[in-house]
Amino acid sequence: MAISFDDIPGVEWEPGAGEFITVDPELCIGCANCVKVCLGGCYEIVRKKAVIRSLDKCMECGACWYVCDNEAISFSWPPGGTGFRTKWG
Amino acid sequence: MRITDNIDETKCDVVVVGAGFGGAAAAKKCADAGLKTIMLERSKNVGDKIISGLTIPFHGFLFGPAFIRDGNPPIERPVDGIVNYIIKDIENKDIDIDDSLKVPKPFSPVFSVGYNAFCKAFCEWEVEQAVASGVELRTETTVLDVIRDNGRISGVITEKDERIWSKIVIDAEGSHGLLAIKAGVRKKYPPDTISLADVYVYDMDKRDIDRIFGFSLRFCWGWDEQKIAPPLGHGNGLMVWPYRDSLHLMQDQCLRNDDGPVYNLAAALKGYHEKITANLPWWKNEIEPRVTLRARMWDGFEIFVGLNEQLRNMPNFTDGMLLIGDAAGLENTELCDGVPTAWFSAEIAADVAIEAISHHDTSASFLKRYDDRIKAHPIIQWAITSTNRYNLRFAQQEHDEKKLKQCIHDGWGLGFCKYGSTALMRIVLFFIRKDPKIIGKWIRMYLRYYYNWHYSHFGDTGIAKEKQNRRNGIRLKSCLRLMDLILFIFSPLIRLVAGLLEPLAGAANPVMRFLFPIVAPVYLKFIKRWDAALEPLSTRLVNAIVASDPSIFNA
Ligand SMILES: Cc1cc2nc3c(=O)[nH]c(=O)nc-3n(C[C@H](O)[C@H](O)[C@H](O)COP(=O)(O)OP(=O)(O)OC[C@H]3O[C@@H](n4cnc5c(N)ncnc54)[C@H](O)[C@@H]3O)c2cc1C
Ligand code: SF4
Ligand code: SF4
């Protein structure tokens, strides 16, 4: 069953996406760029390192990946048919 | 739509990655040429993950794929111009307006500057046409890598570890370009070329939209401290698109400004949205009481890739592979429209793929002609090198009102003709010289699109026609027949004139720049005075269209 959120109407998330974005703590310097650009609130800084809180509201926009200067973020697509979807884009 | 879940045959002529605006057009052209074409799409249904504005400018329809021009794609509203709000002081309502880009009556709204559309509905329609041409579509299939065979790309590998061998891979995956990066063709774009767009879709009664917006888009620009349009980097803006019964509001902002710090965009975009909806007089008074939020979404797109010479010249092909649309960095740097360039590059890529396969040569040296044709395409090159949006930042930094207004006028006002005339003239004359009958197809397209929009019906089958004004429709039919006859008789002459004018196209921009200060004020004055007087003619044209038998609009 697809998941939706009241604060993000018109969009559904098909389960099964898994951890398609990951942070390498060795490379992360805790600059928080990813936190600042993520409109889905997916990141937080814990003990000076970025941690993915949840990808539940991830719109696969890639902003976090673009702004990480340290290549600490690996970005890939969730498995086919999973992740967000909308009719209104 | 025919969807193939499982096909044993994993060899084909062309694999297209991504069933978006460009992918579907490229795949259809390859299949029409008899090539076995497989199109792979990662989302569950076509268009699920495509987020956009979206006004597709007229040049995409006129000079893009014939099946779109001559077909019945689902559109949400024709666009006849842009009203720019230049916000100097929102508290004191010090707001100037530049509404100089407007199709005059009686041409508006039928002869529009573009069409608004939902990406999903439009791409589904495109993909249906591709599938009808024989393209095999596989959804829920993410491509992870390319197959390398003796150093050349010979197909793709899906997440299910399936190998699909092909003579050519057309990469239409969109702007992030994960596959192109993996294939070593291009690099990840730097964040100062990427814009993050925050999009809101509001439900609104069609009659209210007709009355308040008509067919015009509304754009807002302002000083940084107004916190209306995000001020944090090149490429800020706030745009409102009227659809049939909804509004699309987009705020967008570059992820970084010239290697500076990354701002807290999440907080900024939220704040600006709240501020504009609460303070901008026309939003607060006219829109806010009439709308409810239907959807909210965001996406990143490669807005300024074309302005960086190094990135612009990044390869868009390699042995066995061609990149099209956003994957090739072909976003318009001013209007942020990437659909026309996706279509143009799709057609060029399909042509080159067809030629390469028939010559049994898919090497990079053969495919180089793809890059040559992209670089020779007048509209693509104009689109990816326009600088008004980028320069807006300097005007804002310097608080230079004259400069700000100039950028707005030249980017989203009448001033665009100082920069776009050469490209438009070149392509118009090129098409007319090839076949003057194209003029009839262009005109029929406008009439058909308007008819379809009026009835909200986008199929080939006729629909109940209004009985009144039937005579109007019949008169229009005679006009179209007369037009066909004239085009037929004068075809050699028209072709000759187009051929003679073509070499002069290069002078169009300089001539426009020279004449603009004299001609533009006169033109704008004339339009303001005559628009109301010509309104009845416009209404007659609309009445004639909607009273017609739609088959007269078929190309
Ligand atoms: C907010 C916003 C506003 C815009 N406004 C406008 C506008 O007003 N006018 C305009 O003309 N353009 C506009 N654009 C740009 C326009 O949307 C794009 O230029 C256009 O969609 C590009 O078409 P494309 O075919 O290259 O890629 P897309 O249409 O993005 O299609 C790519 C497809 O590939 C699929 N895909 C990606 N990777 C894989 C993979 N590995 N395997 C399988 N499938 C994959 C995706 O799911 C998608 O369906 C806007 C863009 C944004 C983000
Ligand atoms: S942007 Fe990269 S380096 Fe900075 S906090 Fe996020 S993951 Fe770490
Ligand atoms: S892709 Fe976009 S939405 Fe997803 S985590 Fe990164 S910034 Fe957030």
Side-chain angles (χ1 to χ4, degrees):
Chain A
M1 250 274 285
I3 304 158
S4 57
F5 300 93
D6 288 347
D7 58 336
I8 312 180
V11 183
E12 288 183 334
W13 278 264
E14 192 66 36
E19 293 174 5
F20 58 98
I21 304 175
T22 52
V23 180
D24 181 343
E26 297 290 315
L27 295 173
C28 174
I29 56 156
C31 68
N33 282 353
C34 50
V35 182
K36 291 178 192 165
V37 298
C38 180
L39 305 191
C42 300
Y43 287 87
E44 62 187 333
I45 299 288
V46 178
R47 284 189 287 279
K48 297 192 177 158
K49 298 280 176 191
V51 172
I52 294 178
R53 188 191 293 164
S54 153
L55 290 175
D56 283 359
K57 292 182 180 174
C58 174
M59 203 85 70
E60 302 158 29
C61 73
C64 53
W65 173 64
Y66 283 116
V67 296
C68 180
D69 294 328
N70 301 287
E71 301 297 333
I73 295 177
S74 341
F75 183 77
S76 63
W77 300 127
T82 70
F84 91 99
R85 65 160 178 260
T86 180
K87 286 191 238 169
W88 311 119
Chain B
M1 192 185 288
R2 184 158 58 95
I3 296 175
T4 319
D5 288 318
N6 249 319
I7 38 176
D8 301 320
E9 174 65 85
T10 51
K11 273 197 174 144
C12 63
D13 293 313
V14 180
V15 162
V16 177
V17 180
F21 285 98
K28 177 170 165 40
K29 193 155 197 188
C30 290
D32 283 339
L35 299 182
K36 181 169 166 48
T37 308
I38 298 178
M39 179 159 58
L40 306 173
E41 169 56 50
R42 72 185 184 94
S43 56
K44 188 165 188 160
N45 314 290
V46 167
D48 277 355
K49 291 181 187 284
I50 307 179
I51 293 175
S52 198
L54 170 92
T55 298
I56 308 177
F58 70 99
H59 48 73
F61 293 96
L62 297 184
F63 315 120
F67 77 94
I68 298 172
R69 181 194 64 216
D70 299 339
N72 297 283
I75 52 164
E76 282 284 316
R77 189 173 285 263
V79 177
D80 75 352
I82 301 173
V83 183
N84 292 285
Y85 293 84
I86 304 162
I87 300 164
K88 294 183 289 180
D89 183 349
I90 193 147
E91 304 301 335
N92 295 310
K93 318 279 178 269
D94 185 4
I95 300 170
D96 288 342
I97 289 179
D98 181 337
D99 57 356
S100 58
L101 186 69
K102 175 116 169 101
V103 178
K105 299 285 178 186
F107 303 108
S108 157
V110 176
F111 294 90
S112 64
V113 290
Y115 294 93
N116 293 341
F118 281 117
C119 297
K120 183 172 169 61
F122 203 107
C123 288
E124 277 177 337
W125 179 85
E126 266 193 72
V127 170
E128 272 170 29
Q129 314 303 306
V131 170
S133 288
V135 172
E136 286 190 16
L137 168 70
R138 294 202 214 173
T139 52
E140 298 189 48
T141 305
T142 306
V143 174
L144 288 188
D145 207 344
V146 291
I147 304 173
R148 277 169 221 282
D149 189 23
N150 285 327
R152 70 174 295 284
I153 288 168
S154 307
V156 296
I157 305 168
T158 73
E159 62 195 330
K160 291 156 201 149
D161 208 23
E162 190 177 0
R163 279 158 170 71
I164 300 173
W165 295 80
S166 69
K167 293 170 185 157
I168 296 257
V169 174
I170 295 183
D171 183 5
E173 64 180 311
S175 69
H176 297 62
L178 300 188
L179 183 67
I181 295 168
K182 195 105 185 227
V185 187
R186 54 154 263 211
K187 295 196 174 67
K188 177 180 167 185
Y189 297 133
D192 54 352
T193 65
I194 301 294
S195 204
L196 179 63
D198 192 8
V199 179
Y200 293 76
V201 180
Y202 290 96
D203 278 312
M204 189 167 173
D205 192 293
K206 178 178 175 295
R207 284 160 303 181
D208 287 330
I209 300 180
D210 289 346
R211 183 174 51 80
I212 297 168
F213 286 84
F215 298 92
S216 290
L217 313 179
R218 293 189 180 186
F219 288 1
C220 296
W221 315 98
W223 299 128
D224 293 1
E225 68 275 12
Q226 293 299 312
K227 294 192 172 9
I228 289 297
L232 308 171
H234 297 278
N236 55 354
L238 183 142
M239 304 168 174
V240 183
W241 287 266
Y243 280 32
R244 172 173 290 278
D245 55 8
S246 63
L247 298 180
H248 227 82
L249 183 150
M250 173 180 119
Q251 291 170 275
D252 77 301
Q253 181 55 61
C254 276
L255 289 173
R256 180 170 251 171
N257 185 11
D258 302 333
D259 268 344
V262 169
Y263 292 89
N264 191 333
L265 274 188
L269 287 164
K270 187 167 179 280
Y272 299 136
H273 184 257
E274 282 165 9
K275 185 141 192 232
I276 200 137
T277 49
N279 290 317
L280 187 66
W282 58 263
W283 186 280
K284 192 173 112 196
N285 302 329
E286 293 184 281
I287 314 297
E288 190 72 15
R290 296 181 174 85
V291 291
T292 46
L293 187 61
R294 181 194 289 184
R296 156 111 200 273
M297 64 207 93
W298 56 88
D299 199 5
F301 62 107
E302 70 321 345
I303 185 159
F304 288 137
V305 166
L307 293 185
N308 179 320
E309 206 183 325
Q310 215 183 342
L311 298 179
R312 185 166 71 239
N313 290 315
M314 234 167 19
N316 50 26
F317 67 99
T318 187
D319 288 286
M321 187 174 190
L322 299 165
L323 273 48
I324 68 168
D326 278 7
L330 299 181
E331 184 76 25
N332 184 319
T333 49
E334 208 151 79
L335 281 165
C336 72
D337 57 78
V339 174
T341 45
W343 286 342
F344 301 147
S345 58
E347 294 234 292
I348 298 172
D351 283 341
V352 170
I354 295 162
E355 289 162 26
I357 290 170
S358 75
H359 282 81
H360 304 286
D361 185 357
T362 56
S363 66
S365 59
F366 189 96
L367 299 184
K368 165 131 195 351
R369 61 179 68 188
Y370 171 68
D371 187 46
D372 295 341
R373 290 181 204 175
I374 293 287
K375 294 214 162 80
H377 194 288
I379 304 271
I380 294 181
Q381 293 309 314
W382 167 46
I384 65 170
T385 55
S386 300
T387 52
N388 281 300
R389 190 164 164 125
Y390 189 83
N391 290 341
L392 206 72
R393 171 98 301 258
F394 302 119
Q396 285 167 321
Q397 263 169 357
E398 294 158 23
H399 236 278
D400 185 333
E401 190 174 329
K402 196 166 161 227
K403 216 187 230 179
L404 183 78
K405 287 183 169 170
Q406 193 68 51
C407 285
I408 292 166
H409 191 62
D410 290 351
W412 309 274
L414 191 61
F416 94 94
C417 61
K418 291 187 282 184
Y419 303 89
S421 295
T422 290
L424 286 171
M425 190 169 157
R426 255 195 198 128
I427 200 152
V428 166
L429 293 173
F430 170 79
F431 271 83
I432 293 178
R433 188 171 49 77
K434 247 183 21 188
D435 182 7
K437 285 202 287 298
I438 190 80
I439 297 170
K441 291 187 179 178
W442 288 338
I443 290 174
R444 282 192 166 82
M445 180 201 91
Y446 279 117
L447 305 184
R448 183 175 354 100
Y449 278 22
Y450 191 86
Y451 181 95
N452 290 349
W453 181 76
H454 178 87
Y455 289 107
S456 189
H457 180 95
F458 304 95
D460 296 321
T461 48
I463 47 172
K465 276 158 270 143
E466 289 178 355
K467 291 278 179 288
Q468 73 274 24
N469 290 332
R470 192 97 179 88
R471 236 172 345 125
N472 265 340
I474 290 163
R475 234 181 265 153
L476 187 61
K477 188 176 173 181
S478 313
C479 289
L480 289 175
R481 284 220 175 119
L482 182 67
M483 174 189 74
D484 290 339
L485 187 69
I486 293 173
L487 286 174
F488 177 73
I489 295 170
F490 292 101
S491 191
L493 183 67
I494 298 171
R495 195 176 267 145
L496 181 75
V497 173
L500 290 173
L501 288 176
E502 234 178 331
L504 303 179
N509 282 350
V511 167
M512 275 294 173
R513 265 173 228 162
F514 179 72
L515 292 179
F516 197 79
I518 313 153
V519 176
V522 178
Y523 168 79
L524 290 172
K525 215 171 189 174
F526 175 84
I527 292 303
K528 285 243 150 44
R529 183 168 303 169
W530 286 97
D531 240 30
L534 294 170
E535 176 75 46
L537 254 184
S538 170
T539 310
R540 275 182 71 177
L541 176 62
V542 164
N543 287 342
I545 292 170
V546 303
S548 292
D549 176 341
S551 66
I552 69 167
F553 307 132
N554 288 344

mmCIF file of all heavy atoms in Angstrom, chain B residues 30 114 127 136 140 143 160 187 198 207 236 297 342 345 385 394 401 405 408 410 412 425 428 431 445 516 523-524 535:
data_model
loop_
_atom_site.group_PDB
_atom_site.id
_atom_site.type_symbol
_atom_site.label_atom_id
_atom_site.label_comp_id
_atom_site.label_asym_id
_atom_site.label_seq_id
_atom_site.Cartn_x
_atom_site.Cartn_y
_atom_site.Cartn_z
ATOM 1 N N CYS B 30 12.671 5.883 -33.987
ATOM 2 C CA CYS B 30 13.466 4.687 -34.313
ATOM 3 C C CYS B 30 12.539 3.547 -34.739
ATOM 4 O O CYS B 30 12.807 2.852 -35.724
ATOM 5 C CB CYS B 30 14.300 4.250 -33.104
ATOM 6 S SG CYS B 30 15.632 5.400 -32.726
ATOM 7 N N GLY B 114 2.736 29.132 -26.199
ATOM 8 C CA GLY B 114 3.070 27.841 -25.617
ATOM 9 C C GLY B 114 1.835 27.211 -25.013
ATOM 10 O O GLY B 114 0.737 27.786 -25.066
ATOM 11 N N VAL B 127 4.089 8.335 -25.000
ATOM 12 C CA VAL B 127 4.516 6.933 -24.947
ATOM 13 C C VAL B 127 3.490 6.038 -25.656
ATOM 14 O O VAL B 127 3.863 5.081 -26.336
ATOM 15 C CB VAL B 127 4.767 6.496 -23.482
ATOM 16 C CG1 VAL B 127 4.964 4.992 -23.374
ATOM 17 C CG2 VAL B 127 5.986 7.226 -22.927
ATOM 18 N N GLU B 136 8.766 -1.307 -27.644
ATOM 19 C CA GLU B 136 8.445 -2.141 -26.484
ATOM 20 C C GLU B 136 8.790 -1.360 -25.230
ATOM 21 O O GLU B 136 9.931 -0.921 -25.062
ATOM 22 C CB GLU B 136 9.265 -3.428 -26.518
ATOM 23 C CG GLU B 136 8.742 -4.381 -27.568
ATOM 24 C CD GLU B 136 9.380 -5.751 -27.467
ATOM 25 O OE1 GLU B 136 9.994 -6.037 -26.413
ATOM 26 O OE2 GLU B 136 9.268 -6.500 -28.440
ATOM 27 N N GLU B 140 8.920 -0.062 -14.469
ATOM 28 C CA GLU B 140 9.483 -0.650 -13.242
ATOM 29 C C GLU B 140 10.839 -1.282 -13.499
ATOM 30 O O GLU B 140 11.173 -2.318 -12.929
ATOM 31 C CB GLU B 140 8.526 -1.701 -12.655
ATOM 32 C CG GLU B 140 7.190 -1.112 -12.259
ATOM 33 C CD GLU B 140 6.328 -2.088 -11.476
ATOM 34 O OE1 GLU B 140 6.847 -2.709 -10.527
ATOM 35 O OE2 GLU B 140 5.150 -2.218 -11.818
ATOM 36 N N VAL B 143 17.648 1.131 -15.028
ATOM 37 C CA VAL B 143 18.913 0.771 -15.671
ATOM 38 C C VAL B 143 20.048 1.189 -14.744
ATOM 39 O O VAL B 143 20.088 2.336 -14.287
ATOM 40 C CB VAL B 143 19.044 1.476 -17.037
ATOM 41 C CG1 VAL B 143 20.414 1.210 -17.639
ATOM 42 C CG2 VAL B 143 17.941 1.016 -17.972
ATOM 43 N N LYS B 160 17.731 -5.879 -12.306
ATOM 44 C CA LYS B 160 17.492 -7.318 -12.135
ATOM 45 C C LYS B 160 18.617 -8.108 -12.781
ATOM 46 O O LYS B 160 18.487 -9.293 -13.049
ATOM 47 C CB LYS B 160 16.140 -7.697 -12.743
ATOM 48 C CG LYS B 160 14.971 -7.132 -11.947
ATOM 49 C CD LYS B 160 13.722 -6.988 -12.785
ATOM 50 C CE LYS B 160 12.779 -5.985 -12.145
ATOM 51 N NZ LYS B 160 11.971 -5.248 -13.118
ATOM 52 N N LYS B 187 30.099 14.175 -16.596
ATOM 53 C CA LYS B 187 30.350 14.228 -15.152
ATOM 54 C C LYS B 187 29.121 14.737 -14.426
ATOM 55 O O LYS B 187 28.199 15.259 -15.041
ATOM 56 C CB LYS B 187 31.526 15.167 -14.888
ATOM 57 C CG LYS B 187 32.837 14.675 -15.458
ATOM 58 C CD LYS B 187 33.992 15.453 -14.818
ATOM 59 C CE LYS B 187 35.343 14.916 -15.243
ATOM 60 N NZ LYS B 187 35.635 15.133 -16.667
ATOM 61 N N ASP B 198 10.687 24.214 -5.991
ATOM 62 C CA ASP B 198 9.692 23.835 -4.993
ATOM 63 C C ASP B 198 8.334 24.158 -5.621
ATOM 64 O O ASP B 198 8.064 25.316 -5.949
ATOM 65 C CB ASP B 198 9.943 24.702 -3.748
ATOM 66 C CG ASP B 198 9.178 24.206 -2.547
ATOM 67 O OD1 ASP B 198 8.587 23.122 -2.626
ATOM 68 O OD2 ASP B 198 9.171 24.928 -1.523
ATOM 69 N N ARG B 207 -13.542 28.854 -13.994
ATOM 70 C CA ARG B 207 -14.087 30.185 -14.332
ATOM 71 C C ARG B 207 -13.291 31.290 -13.654
ATOM 72 O O ARG B 207 -13.081 32.363 -14.216
ATOM 73 C CB ARG B 207 -15.569 30.260 -13.940
ATOM 74 C CG ARG B 207 -16.467 29.509 -14.921
ATOM 75 C CD ARG B 207 -17.781 29.185 -14.312
ATOM 76 N NE ARG B 207 -17.597 28.406 -13.074
ATOM 77 C CZ ARG B 207 -18.588 27.944 -12.316
ATOM 78 N NH1 ARG B 207 -19.819 28.192 -12.649
ATOM 79 N NH2 ARG B 207 -18.338 27.237 -11.226
ATOM 80 N N ASN B 236 16.992 32.823 -9.467
ATOM 81 C CA ASN B 236 15.818 32.812 -8.600
ATOM 82 C C ASN B 236 14.575 33.253 -9.360
ATOM 83 O O ASN B 236 14.640 33.947 -10.360
ATOM 84 C CB ASN B 236 16.030 33.734 -7.403
ATOM 85 C CG ASN B 236 16.390 35.124 -7.845
ATOM 86 O OD1 ASN B 236 16.579 35.359 -9.022
ATOM 87 N ND2 ASN B 236 16.475 36.021 -6.911
ATOM 88 N N MET B 297 5.521 19.313 -4.410
ATOM 89 C CA MET B 297 6.643 18.453 -4.815
ATOM 90 C C MET B 297 7.868 19.306 -5.098
ATOM 91 O O MET B 297 7.765 20.533 -5.143
ATOM 92 C CB MET B 297 6.247 17.642 -6.045
ATOM 93 C CG MET B 297 5.977 18.479 -7.263
ATOM 94 S SD MET B 297 4.829 17.721 -8.399
ATOM 95 C CE MET B 297 3.299 18.413 -7.860
ATOM 96 N N ALA B 342 14.598 18.777 -25.517
ATOM 97 C CA ALA B 342 14.555 17.307 -25.395
ATOM 98 C C ALA B 342 13.981 16.712 -26.688
ATOM 99 O O ALA B 342 14.488 15.718 -27.209
ATOM 100 C CB ALA B 342 13.712 16.891 -24.186
ATOM 101 N N SER B 345 16.561 17.233 -29.655
ATOM 102 C CA SER B 345 17.706 16.317 -29.563
ATOM 103 C C SER B 345 17.260 14.876 -29.767
ATOM 104 O O SER B 345 18.005 14.055 -30.307
ATOM 105 C CB SER B 345 18.449 16.497 -28.237
ATOM 106 O OG SER B 345 17.579 16.290 -27.145
ATOM 107 N N THR B 385 22.147 29.147 -24.091
ATOM 108 C CA THR B 385 23.178 30.172 -23.857
ATOM 109 C C THR B 385 22.587 31.544 -23.520
ATOM 110 O O THR B 385 23.313 32.542 -23.524
ATOM 111 C CB THR B 385 24.086 30.329 -25.103
ATOM 112 O OG1 THR B 385 23.250 30.612 -26.222
ATOM 113 C CG2 THR B 385 24.902 29.093 -25.385
ATOM 114 N N PHE B 394 23.130 39.863 -10.741
ATOM 115 C CA PHE B 394 23.999 41.042 -10.599
ATOM 116 C C PHE B 394 23.145 42.290 -10.385
ATOM 117 O O PHE B 394 23.478 43.154 -9.580
ATOM 118 C CB PHE B 394 24.904 41.189 -11.826
ATOM 119 C CG PHE B 394 25.759 39.973 -12.059
ATOM 120 C CD1 PHE B 394 25.670 39.237 -13.223
ATOM 121 C CD2 PHE B 394 26.639 39.543 -11.074
ATOM 122 C CE1 PHE B 394 26.443 38.106 -13.416
ATOM 123 C CE2 PHE B 394 27.420 38.408 -11.252
ATOM 124 C CZ PHE B 394 27.321 37.690 -12.435
ATOM 125 N N GLU B 401 17.893 49.104 -10.463
ATOM 126 C CA GLU B 401 16.531 48.898 -10.960
ATOM 127 C C GLU B 401 16.477 48.851 -12.486
ATOM 128 O O GLU B 401 15.765 48.039 -13.077
ATOM 129 C CB GLU B 401 15.623 50.019 -10.440
ATOM 130 C CG GLU B 401 14.161 49.746 -10.720
ATOM 131 C CD GLU B 401 13.245 50.787 -10.088
ATOM 132 O OE1 GLU B 401 13.603 51.330 -9.023
ATOM 133 O OE2 GLU B 401 12.177 51.049 -10.667
ATOM 134 N N LYS B 405 15.136 45.639 -14.582
ATOM 135 C CA LYS B 405 14.015 45.716 -15.527
ATOM 136 C C LYS B 405 14.450 45.308 -16.934
ATOM 137 O O LYS B 405 13.681 44.694 -17.670
ATOM 138 C CB LYS B 405 13.432 47.131 -15.539
ATOM 139 C CG LYS B 405 12.641 47.414 -14.280
ATOM 140 C CD LYS B 405 12.011 48.775 -14.324
ATOM 141 C CE LYS B 405 11.009 48.925 -13.193
ATOM 142 N NZ LYS B 405 10.534 50.282 -13.049
ATOM 143 N N ILE B 408 14.605 41.536 -17.110
ATOM 144 C CA ILE B 408 13.254 40.965 -17.127
ATOM 145 C C ILE B 408 12.614 41.183 -18.501
ATOM 146 O O ILE B 408 12.026 40.267 -19.085
ATOM 147 C CB ILE B 408 12.409 41.574 -15.984
ATOM 148 C CG1 ILE B 408 12.964 41.075 -14.648
ATOM 149 C CG2 ILE B 408 10.923 41.222 -16.131
ATOM 150 C CD1 ILE B 408 12.475 41.833 -13.440
ATOM 151 N N ASP B 410 14.132 41.656 -21.319
ATOM 152 C CA ASP B 410 14.818 40.893 -22.371
ATOM 153 C C ASP B 410 14.633 39.385 -22.214
ATOM 154 O O ASP B 410 14.767 38.637 -23.177
ATOM 155 C CB ASP B 410 16.315 41.222 -22.373
ATOM 156 C CG ASP B 410 16.564 42.646 -22.878
ATOM 157 O OD1 ASP B 410 15.600 43.265 -23.375
ATOM 158 O OD2 ASP B 410 17.700 43.129 -22.756
ATOM 159 N N TRP B 412 11.835 37.827 -20.332
ATOM 160 C CA TRP B 412 10.438 37.385 -20.274
ATOM 161 C C TRP B 412 9.471 38.463 -20.751
ATOM 162 O O TRP B 412 8.295 38.453 -20.430
ATOM 163 C CB TRP B 412 10.091 36.949 -18.837
ATOM 164 C CG TRP B 412 11.103 35.974 -18.339
ATOM 165 C CD1 TRP B 412 11.082 34.628 -18.526
ATOM 166 C CD2 TRP B 412 12.325 36.267 -17.637
ATOM 167 N NE1 TRP B 412 12.216 34.060 -17.988
ATOM 168 C CE2 TRP B 412 12.987 35.036 -17.434
ATOM 169 C CE3 TRP B 412 12.927 37.433 -17.172
ATOM 170 C CZ2 TRP B 412 14.218 34.948 -16.776
ATOM 171 C CZ3 TRP B 412 14.156 37.350 -16.523
ATOM 172 C CH2 TRP B 412 14.771 36.125 -16.328
ATOM 173 N N MET B 425 14.000 32.894 -36.922
ATOM 174 C CA MET B 425 13.909 33.120 -38.368
ATOM 175 C C MET B 425 14.593 31.975 -39.115
ATOM 176 O O MET B 425 14.077 31.460 -40.099
ATOM 177 C CB MET B 425 14.572 34.460 -38.697
ATOM 178 C CG MET B 425 14.337 34.926 -40.107
ATOM 179 S SD MET B 425 14.900 36.634 -40.259
ATOM 180 C CE MET B 425 15.171 36.722 -42.020
ATOM 181 N N VAL B 428 12.337 28.825 -38.935
ATOM 182 C CA VAL B 428 11.089 28.993 -39.702
ATOM 183 C C VAL B 428 11.395 28.885 -41.197
ATOM 184 O O VAL B 428 10.741 28.133 -41.934
ATOM 185 C CB VAL B 428 10.431 30.358 -39.382
ATOM 186 C CG1 VAL B 428 9.359 30.693 -40.397
ATOM 187 C CG2 VAL B 428 9.829 30.349 -37.986
ATOM 188 N N PHE B 431 12.268 25.335 -42.376
ATOM 189 C CA PHE B 431 11.089 24.469 -42.535
ATOM 190 C C PHE B 431 10.286 24.859 -43.771
ATOM 191 O O PHE B 431 9.833 24.001 -44.520
ATOM 192 C CB PHE B 431 10.209 24.529 -41.284
ATOM 193 C CG PHE B 431 10.585 23.504 -40.250
ATOM 194 C CD1 PHE B 431 11.626 23.738 -39.360
ATOM 195 C CD2 PHE B 431 9.906 22.294 -40.159
ATOM 196 C CE1 PHE B 431 11.991 22.798 -38.415
ATOM 197 C CE2 PHE B 431 10.263 21.350 -39.217
ATOM 198 C CZ PHE B 431 11.308 21.596 -38.339
ATOM 199 N N MET B 445 -2.542 23.072 -36.499
ATOM 200 C CA MET B 445 -2.164 22.658 -35.140
ATOM 201 C C MET B 445 -2.758 23.610 -34.101
ATOM 202 O O MET B 445 -3.371 23.186 -33.119
ATOM 203 C CB MET B 445 -0.641 22.620 -34.994
ATOM 204 C CG MET B 445 -0.182 22.208 -33.615
ATOM 205 S SD MET B 445 1.508 22.712 -33.243
ATOM 206 C CE MET B 445 1.225 24.316 -32.499
ATOM 207 N N PHE B 516 14.782 48.226 -32.111
ATOM 208 C CA PHE B 516 13.927 48.012 -30.948
ATOM 209 C C PHE B 516 13.522 49.303 -30.225
ATOM 210 O O PHE B 516 12.337 49.511 -29.946
ATOM 211 C CB PHE B 516 14.602 47.034 -29.976
ATOM 212 C CG PHE B 516 13.667 46.454 -28.972
ATOM 213 C CD1 PHE B 516 12.819 45.402 -29.311
ATOM 214 C CD2 PHE B 516 13.598 46.958 -27.682
ATOM 215 C CE1 PHE B 516 11.938 44.873 -28.395
ATOM 216 C CE2 PHE B 516 12.718 46.433 -26.759
ATOM 217 C CZ PHE B 516 11.884 45.384 -27.112
ATOM 218 N N TYR B 523 4.873 49.866 -31.151
ATOM 219 C CA TYR B 523 4.114 48.612 -31.195
ATOM 220 C C TYR B 523 3.273 48.439 -29.922
ATOM 221 O O TYR B 523 2.080 48.141 -29.974
ATOM 222 C CB TYR B 523 5.085 47.433 -31.373
ATOM 223 C CG TYR B 523 4.452 46.090 -31.142
ATOM 224 C CD1 TYR B 523 3.666 45.493 -32.129
ATOM 225 C CD2 TYR B 523 4.624 45.406 -29.929
ATOM 226 C CE1 TYR B 523 3.069 44.260 -31.918
ATOM 227 C CE2 TYR B 523 4.037 44.172 -29.709
ATOM 228 C CZ TYR B 523 3.265 43.603 -30.699
ATOM 229 O OH TYR B 523 2.667 42.389 -30.476
ATOM 230 N N LEU B 524 3.915 48.670 -28.772
ATOM 231 C CA LEU B 524 3.201 48.458 -27.506
ATOM 232 C C LEU B 524 2.027 49.428 -27.356
ATOM 233 O O LEU B 524 0.964 49.063 -26.851
ATOM 234 C CB LEU B 524 4.164 48.575 -26.323
ATOM 235 C CG LEU B 524 5.167 47.413 -26.218
ATOM 236 C CD1 LEU B 524 6.214 47.695 -25.158
ATOM 237 C CD2 LEU B 524 4.450 46.093 -25.915
ATOM 238 N N GLU B 535 -10.863 42.553 -30.099
ATOM 239 C CA GLU B 535 -11.400 41.438 -29.302
ATOM 240 C C GLU B 535 -12.549 40.698 -30.017
ATOM 241 O O GLU B 535 -12.566 39.454 -30.053
ATOM 242 C CB GLU B 535 -11.846 41.983 -27.936
ATOM 243 C CG GLU B 535 -12.516 40.990 -27.014
ATOM 244 C CD GLU B 535 -11.531 40.008 -26.373
ATOM 245 O OE1 GLU B 535 -10.486 40.472 -25.895
ATOM 246 O OE2 GLU B 535 -11.831 38.801 -26.378
#
